[in-house]
Amino acid sequence: MMNVSPTGPARRAELLAAGAAVVTVVLWASAFVSIRSAGDAYSPGALALGRLLAGALALGIICVVRREGVPPKAAWRGIAISGVLWFGFYMVALNWAEQQVDAGTAALVVNIGPVLIALLGARLLGDPMPPRLLAGMAVSFAGAVAVGLSMSGGGGSSVLGVVLCLLAAIGYAAGVVAQKPALGRASALQVTTFGCLVGAVGCLPFAGQLVSEAGHAPASATLNMVYLGVFPTALAFTTWAYALARTTASRMGATTYAVPALVVLMSWLALGEVPGLLTLAGGVLCLAGVAVSRSRPRAAARVAAPDQALEPQPEGAPESA
């Protein structure tokens, strides 16, 4: 049987989407550190609004330069739902949760999000659930549990904080599933820009808090808020949408299990927080699970046709990321 490899343009598209996914998980991992820092000076709603305003400004400038118009009417339902649930509700809930629980507990509970994405994607979008995806998610979730338990501090959790983390995970999962159909009707930049705007409008009731707290916040906290808006929001949400448009919601959700491992590495390198053996083992499991979930059987790889390279594959194909 003759082996068929992807053509040049198809291979380039795969690499671009893979690079977009990498950018996303790295920047989202860095966001956990910035949220903890900025959260000392800004309340949850004010921090979310400031982050979204910075992100919307950056995205708006890019849209003007690229002459991106308003998304078509057919895309607005998904944009509005993802804007409210993911850009708005999720960010406020996560900011609030991180003031109630330690980082390990927050990471552990929020990481049920990819599982919810897989379940909702299968139910609402008809996403396939190949064995490799399920196995990889199980391995990664075990790693997230190990990282969460190793990072959890005694007495650092509260019932309210855990509930907020759970609600954040639900909002994140529902927002991702709602965003997927919109990406078939509008560009990744349009979906991200207007989703961010919807989220910012939803957070406008916190405008008074933002103005008041900005006058007393240290420069480092404000810079962290701006960083959250420009990089983990404007850039990372756009690269996420770019990759999501070329794969299933379930596989992109599984990819985010690399975030806990990267948080551990960043804390080690930037903050000098030496991880314990359980933390390291959990990080390795997270990365191993992502690798399994993104892999495909060798036989399928050999016979994949060039024109299939840009389409979601039902049985474990490396959907661009």
Side-chain angles (χ1 to χ4, degrees):
M1 181 181 297
M2 182 178 65
N3 293 348
V4 181
S5 59
T7 60
R11 179 59 177 166
R12 179 173 178 272
E14 287 183 350
L15 292 175
L16 284 174
V22 170
V23 169
T24 297
V25 296
V26 170
L27 290 178
W28 282 357
S30 73
F32 280 90
V33 178
S34 291
I35 289 173
R36 297 288 287 186
S37 176
D40 291 336
Y42 288 97
S43 58
L47 178 57
L49 177 58
R51 173 180 179 176
L52 289 167
L53 289 176
L57 177 60
L59 288 165
I61 292 173
I62 297 173
C63 280
V64 171
V65 172
R66 292 180 57 86
R67 297 182 179 179
E68 292 271 354
V70 177
K73 183 178 179 181
W76 269 101
R77 180 181 178 184
I79 291 174
I81 294 174
S82 65
V84 171
L85 293 180
W86 194 10
F87 287 84
F89 177 78
Y90 165 80
M91 289 189 183
V92 175
L94 182 62
N95 293 344
W96 192 1
E98 288 206 41
Q99 294 181 356
Q100 303 292 320
V101 300
D102 53 78
T105 301
L108 174 59
V109 180
V110 171
N111 267 307
I112 69 168
V115 177
L116 297 176
I117 290 173
L119 295 175
L120 290 173
R123 176 71 175 175
L124 301 178
L125 304 177
D127 285 354
M129 299 283 284
R132 286 175 180 247
L133 174 61
L134 295 175
M137 292 182 69
V139 172
S140 288
F141 187 72
V145 170
V147 172
L149 292 176
S150 66
M151 294 173 64
S152 295
S157 302
S158 71
V159 174
L160 174 61
V162 172
V163 170
L164 288 169
C165 288
L166 180 60
L167 292 174
I170 294 172
Y172 155 51
V176 169
V177 173
Q179 188 186 64
K180 174 64 176 176
L183 290 167
R185 299 172 175 86
S187 70
L189 182 58
Q190 287 176 319
V191 171
T192 305
T193 300
F194 287 88
C196 189
L197 283 172
V198 169
V201 170
C203 290
L204 282 178
F206 302 109
Q209 291 181 9
L210 176 60
V211 172
S212 174
E213 292 168 6
H216 303 89
S220 60
T222 302
L223 288 175
N224 267 307
M225 181 172 65
V226 173
Y227 170 82
L228 285 167
V230 175
F231 293 98
T233 303
L235 178 56
F237 273 74
T238 301
T239 51
W240 163 276
Y242 178 87
L244 178 61
R246 291 156 177 79
T247 186
T248 65
S250 302
R251 290 191 182 283
M252 279 303 293
T255 301
T256 62
Y257 272 123
V259 170
L262 292 175
V263 170
V264 171
L265 179 61
M266 289 178 180
S267 298
W268 190 357
L269 297 177
L271 304 177
E273 297 177 354
V274 180
L277 291 178
L278 181 59
T279 306
L280 287 175
V284 170
L285 281 176
C286 288
L287 296 177
V290 171
V292 171
S293 68
R294 305 302 302 176
S295 67
R296 63 177 173 180
R298 292 184 179 180
R302 289 196 298 269
V303 301
D307 61 349
Q308 293 175 326
L310 296 180
E311 299 295 330
Q313 303 298 319
E315 279 298 327
E319 336 277 348
S320 311

